[in-house]
């Protein structure tokens, strides 16, 4: 059972927001509880706008990079874009490939093969680029820890523009320009840009230099925002501030899709034409199909999908991605079952490793294990032929994965990532030591309270306050995601008036909860085996969320419950 934490609310701030922002008291309490203390902030939050995008020149080195790229286009220099194999990396490549072409230039791109090359920049790719006459390389969603490779490029007379968002080391790579909002001296307001967001900022600055009419500039800006929105959601960065505007505007743009590849991708993902997909649909229907290419085969096909104007080719690639996604799901299930059976549930930090675990899905499996045990977890594939283990880790909010890896950096051939997600490659000779030291670090760092899931409740509310107006206000809080979750509402001391199984196998429940003569129906997913917990007449506190429903407009779902 989760530990509930109800947001504290300043009722005076609630009154000011109700008076000046025109929202209901129930909605205002949620906004205040989330840190929006005045009406101006609330109005800005509820009305995302293109004006909420920050000036790209606020990024350190951005203007220098835009000038260099612009000059390279005008001089017809050979340009190589060096990307990554996930949604963030591939969308970054599509954005920069497209904007360079629109501005009159041309470029080649390199997408690493996850299984053959792994994450990050490699010197042999730089050597090949130099032999072909490349004099400018732009990295996207990678490069911030590639100091040796960037130095190698410089020795060959190649300028490197690094665009990345991953956390840097103490010393930055010696690139011609290094664009990363997480550089210590960078004052850019949004530290949570994803890799495609950083690439988009470079594209934005490049377009501003072309002297286009505003209508053309804004049209291209909105076109690219669709791709940045996909990457922002898929990379699970915070959907607040500028990122909220990016995702909101980008997803609205899905009502009118001109790109054949994106149109075909939405078709195989089951998204209706003209529909504005939700963050959940991006995360569970669209994003996995894009990622499936890099996980199971080569992500190069994703870039081709978005760049091709051939509708038949786009349809063929989309179908192939759909097949690969089904293969990914089957592989993931097998590895997850094996990982769960081998895990020591009493360990505070888990490093699970086995042969024949597909490296393309170990990150997803790590997330599933964290969901199950609520422990920081690494899932590694053992490659005995090359004497290495490599894979990915995922974490819980109180535990900083990259800090943990930094504390034992001598064990790894390569590592990097964020607070919540990271990757490692190490010699098999160090595997047992890594397992032991990671578990010890987690035990030393985490408290017993840290290992209890916490459910943040936005507000206490009564059934009488859940009006049609309030529900529509809640929907304006979307897009929901990291940093802006679906509001969780606490219904205090309600009575179970009825409870019935739902679904063919009775896996789910349908509850009718009552208070003060008012009733509310809620769905309870996967609680069928706990039907005995809901006898008629039982009083309980219910944590519920309000969600859009294609049939009834909206419905309530039970997230958790506690006895009175």
């Amino acid at each position: 059972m989760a530990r509930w934490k109800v947001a504290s609310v300043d009722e005076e701030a609630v009154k000011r927001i109700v008076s000046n922002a025109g929202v209901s008291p129930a909605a205002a309490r949620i906004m205040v509880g989330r840190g929006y203390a005045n009406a101006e902030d609330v109005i800005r939050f509820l009305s995302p706008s293109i004006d909420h995008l920050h000036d790209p020149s606020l990024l350190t080195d951005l203007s220098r990079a835009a000038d260099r790229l612009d000059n390279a286009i005008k001089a017809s220099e050979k340009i190589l874009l060096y990307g990554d194999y996930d949604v963030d990396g591939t969308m970054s490549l599509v954005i920069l490939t497209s904007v360079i072409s629109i501005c009159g230039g041309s470029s080649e791109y390199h997408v690493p093969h996850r299984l053959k090359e792994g994450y990050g920049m490699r010197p042999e790719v730089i050597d090949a680029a130099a032999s072909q006459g490349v004099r400018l390389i732009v990295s996207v969603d990678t490069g911030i820890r590639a100091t040796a490779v960037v130095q190698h490029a410089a020795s060959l007379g190649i300028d490197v523009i690094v665009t990345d968002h991953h956390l840097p080391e103490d010393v930055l790579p010696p690139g011609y320009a290094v664009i990363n909002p997480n550089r210590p001296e960078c004052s850019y307001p949004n530290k949570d840009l994803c890799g495609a967001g950083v690439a988009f900022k470079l594209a934005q600055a490049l377009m501003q230099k072309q002297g286009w009419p505003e209508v053309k500039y804004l049209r291209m800006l909105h076109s690219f925002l669709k791709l940045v929105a996909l990457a922002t959601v898929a990379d699970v960065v915070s959907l607040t501030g500028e990122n909220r505007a990016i995702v909101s505007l980008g997803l609205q743009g899905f009502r009118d899709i001109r790109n054949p590849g994106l149109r075909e991708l939405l078709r195989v993902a089951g998204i209706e034409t003209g529909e504005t997909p939700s963050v959940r649909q991006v995360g569970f229907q669209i994003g996995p199909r894009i990622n499936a290419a890099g996980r199971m085969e080569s992500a190069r096909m994703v870039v081709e999908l978005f760049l091709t104007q051939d509708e038949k080719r786009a349809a063929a690639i989309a179908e192939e991605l759909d097949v690969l996604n089904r293969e990914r799901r089957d592989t993931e299930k097998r590895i997850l079952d094996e990982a769960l059976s081998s895990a020591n549930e009493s360990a505070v930090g888990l490093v699970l490793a086995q042969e024949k675990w597909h490296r393309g899905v170990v990150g997803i499996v790590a997330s599933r294990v964290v969901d199950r045990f609520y422990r920081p977890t690494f899932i590694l594939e053992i490659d005995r032929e090359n004497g290495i283990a490599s894979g990915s880790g995922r974490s819980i909010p109180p535990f900083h994965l990259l800090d943990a890896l930094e504390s034992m950096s001598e064990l790894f051939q390569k590592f990097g990532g964020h607070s919540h997600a990271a990757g490692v490659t190490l010699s098999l000779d160090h595997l047992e030591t890594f397992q032991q030291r990671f578990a010890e670090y987690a035990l030393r760092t985490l408290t017993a309270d840290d290992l209890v899931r916490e459910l943040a409740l936005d507000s206490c509310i009564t059934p009488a306050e859940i009006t049609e107006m309030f529900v529509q206000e809640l929907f304006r809080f979307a897009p929901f995601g990291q940093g802006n979750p679906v509001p969780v509402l606490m219904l205090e001391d309600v009575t179970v008036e009825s409870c019935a199984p739902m679904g063919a196998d009775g896996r789910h429940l349908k509850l009718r909860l009552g208070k003060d003569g008012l009733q509310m129906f809620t769905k309870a997913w996967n609680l069928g085996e706990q039907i005995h917990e809901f006898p008629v007449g039982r009083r309980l506190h219910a944590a519920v969320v309000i969600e859009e429903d294609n049939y009834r407009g909206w419905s309530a779902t039970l997230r958790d419950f506690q006895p009175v």
Side-chain angles (χ1 to χ4, degrees):
M1 185 175 288
R3 179 175 59 242
W4 288 15
K5 182 179 179 181
V6 184
S8 59
V9 174
D10 178 351
E11 289 296 337
E12 290 303 314
V14 170
K15 291 176 183 176
R16 289 195 302 270
I17 288 173
V18 170
S19 298
N20 299 319
V23 298
S24 68
R29 285 192 194 96
I30 296 172
M31 296 300 298
V32 171
R34 293 190 172 194
Y36 298 89
N38 58 65
E40 292 76 18
D41 290 342
V42 170
I43 292 169
R44 183 182 179 88
F45 175 86
L46 294 175
S47 305
S49 160
I50 199 76
D51 296 330
H52 296 174
L53 302 184
H54 301 306
D55 182 349
S57 68
L58 295 174
L59 279 159
T60 301
D61 273 3
L62 194 287
S63 297
R64 176 176 167 83
D67 288 343
R68 178 67 182 88
L69 186 54
D70 189 42
N71 290 334
I73 292 170
K74 290 174 179 174
S76 300
E77 288 186 51
K78 287 192 173 182
I79 303 168
L80 175 69
L81 306 177
Y82 202 127
D84 190 26
Y85 38 67
D86 63 0
V87 177
D88 202 13
T90 52
M91 294 305 98
S92 301
L93 285 174
V94 174
I95 289 167
L96 286 184
T97 300
S98 300
V99 77
I100 288 170
S101 176
I102 293 165
C103 292
S106 64
S107 60
E108 298 295 329
Y109 57 87
H110 177 76
V111 189
H113 193 288
R114 184 190 291 261
L115 303 183
K116 296 176 182 176
E117 298 176 63
Y119 174 78
M121 301 176 71
R122 297 173 67 92
E124 59 267 28
V125 177
I126 306 302
D127 291 336
S131 69
Q132 295 162 12
V134 169
R135 288 296 172 263
L136 176 63
I137 293 177
V138 184
S139 76
V140 293
D141 194 34
T142 188
I144 197 63
R145 289 176 170 244
T147 298
V149 177
V150 175
Q151 283 176 336
H152 179 60
S155 73
L156 298 174
I158 299 175
D159 289 337
V160 179
I161 296 172
V162 175
T163 75
D164 202 349
H165 70 121
H166 296 95
L167 298 178
E169 295 176 306
D170 292 338
V171 178
L172 295 175
Y176 181 90
V178 179
I179 309 167
N180 186 327
N182 290 300
R183 285 181 61 166
E185 74 279 20
C186 183
S187 59
Y188 192 75
N190 180 11
K191 300 296 184 182
D192 292 316
L193 276 176
C194 66
V198 180
F200 169 72
K201 288 295 165 180
L202 179 56
Q204 187 180 357
L206 185 62
M207 290 189 292
Q208 289 172 349
K209 298 177 73 65
Q210 306 308 307
W212 293 342
E214 186 177 16
V215 63
K216 178 179 180 179
Y217 168 71
L218 290 176
R219 184 175 72 248
M220 296 311 306
L221 210 61
H222 280 282
S223 178
F224 290 135
L225 280 172
K226 298 170 192 172
L227 306 183
V228 189
L230 288 179
T232 301
V233 172
D235 221 50
V236 201
V237 294
S238 179
L239 299 190
T240 57
E242 182 182 36
N243 283 354
R244 174 176 170 76
I246 286 171
V247 173
S248 181
L249 296 170
L251 295 186
Q252 288 173 30
F254 277 65
R255 296 171 186 162
D256 180 23
I257 300 293
R258 308 290 176 87
N259 182 284
L262 182 54
R263 194 163 53 237
E264 290 299 323
L265 179 64
L266 296 182
R267 177 183 61 80
V268 298
I271 309 296
E272 294 291 334
T273 302
E275 180 182 346
T276 300
S278 66
V279 166
R280 182 175 178 81
Q281 286 174 309
V282 172
F284 289 93
Q285 292 171 241
I286 303 172
R289 286 171 170 80
I290 297 175
N291 271 330
R295 295 187 186 283
M296 310 304 291
E297 290 288 343
S298 167
R300 194 173 179 87
M301 70 175 71
V302 172
V303 183
E304 183 186 352
L305 172 70
F306 281 83
L307 293 179
T308 186
Q309 293 302 310
D310 184 329
E311 295 195 3
K312 288 185 178 179
R313 179 60 183 150
I317 296 174
E319 293 289 351
E320 188 173 357
L321 291 179
D322 198 43
V323 171
L324 288 174
N325 190 50
R326 290 196 292 273
E327 291 179 10
R328 185 270 308 167
R329 284 199 302 260
D330 294 342
T331 303
E332 175 194 326
K333 184 181 184 306
R334 173 183 63 80
I335 296 173
L336 177 60
D337 290 343
E338 293 172 358
L340 291 175
S341 66
S342 66
N344 176 8
E345 296 183 38
S346 64
V348 177
L350 296 170
V351 178
L352 307 176
Q354 195 167 305
E355 291 183 77
K356 297 182 180 178
W357 279 359
H358 197 297
R359 261 182 292 154
V361 302
V362 290
I364 309 175
V365 174
S367 295
R368 302 287 185 263
V369 175
V370 172
D371 288 343
R372 178 70 171 269
F373 297 129
Y374 203 65
R375 301 286 191 271
T377 301
F378 273 91
I379 302 292
L380 308 180
E381 183 215 19
I382 292 175
D383 179 355
R384 296 206 181 276
E385 183 178 344
N386 293 306
I388 62 171
S390 57
S392 298
R394 297 294 184 267
S395 193
I396 59 178
F399 189 85
H400 198 296
L401 270 188
L402 196 56
D403 284 351
L405 299 181
E406 294 277 11
S407 75
M408 55 192 87
S409 59
E410 73 279 3
L411 297 179
F412 310 114
Q413 296 177 4
K414 187 166 57 174
F415 73 96
H418 306 289
S419 60
H420 63 279
V424 298
T425 299
L426 69 159
S427 165
L428 287 180
D429 295 337
H430 291 153
L431 176 56
E432 189 174 339
T433 304
F434 176 40
Q435 291 173 316
Q436 180 181 345
R437 288 181 60 179
F438 186 74
E440 290 172 350
Y441 184 96
L443 186 62
R444 189 169 63 249
T445 306
L446 293 167
T447 67
D449 280 348
D450 290 334
L451 298 175
V452 178
R453 296 176 197 268
E454 187 172 271
L455 179 63
L457 293 104
D458 287 275
S459 179
C460 291
I461 198 167
T462 65
E465 291 178 288
I466 304 178
T467 64
E468 194 64 36
M469 173 186 169
F470 171 66
V471 168
Q472 294 308 313
E473 287 177 320
L474 282 187
F475 291 162
R476 288 184 66 193
F477 287 16
F480 299 116
Q482 185 75 16
N484 184 45
V486 175
V488 182
L489 310 172
M490 179 179 175
L491 294 172
E492 253 186 319
D493 197 0
V494 291
T495 301
V496 177
E497 297 191 351
S498 69
C499 175
M502 187 171 67
D505 55 2
R507 245 173 85 197
H508 316 300
L509 299 175
K510 185 175 184 179
L511 300 168
R512 186 173 78 234
L513 305 176
K515 183 171 184 174
D516 299 331
L518 294 174
Q519 298 174 337
M520 182 174 180
F521 286 94
T522 69
K523 294 175 286 189
W525 303 118
N526 301 309
L527 287 181
E529 292 183 357
Q530 294 175 251
I531 191 169
H532 61 279
E533 298 264 17
F534 304 99
V536 172
R538 185 183 188 188
R539 293 164 56 203
L540 50 82
H541 305 308
V544 302
V545 297
I546 306 296
E547 298 173 310
E548 289 193 71
D549 187 309
N550 291 333
Y551 299 101
R552 300 185 179 183
W554 64 273
S555 60
T557 301
L558 186 73
R559 277 283 177 88
D560 200 6
F561 66 96
Q562 291 184 350
V564 172

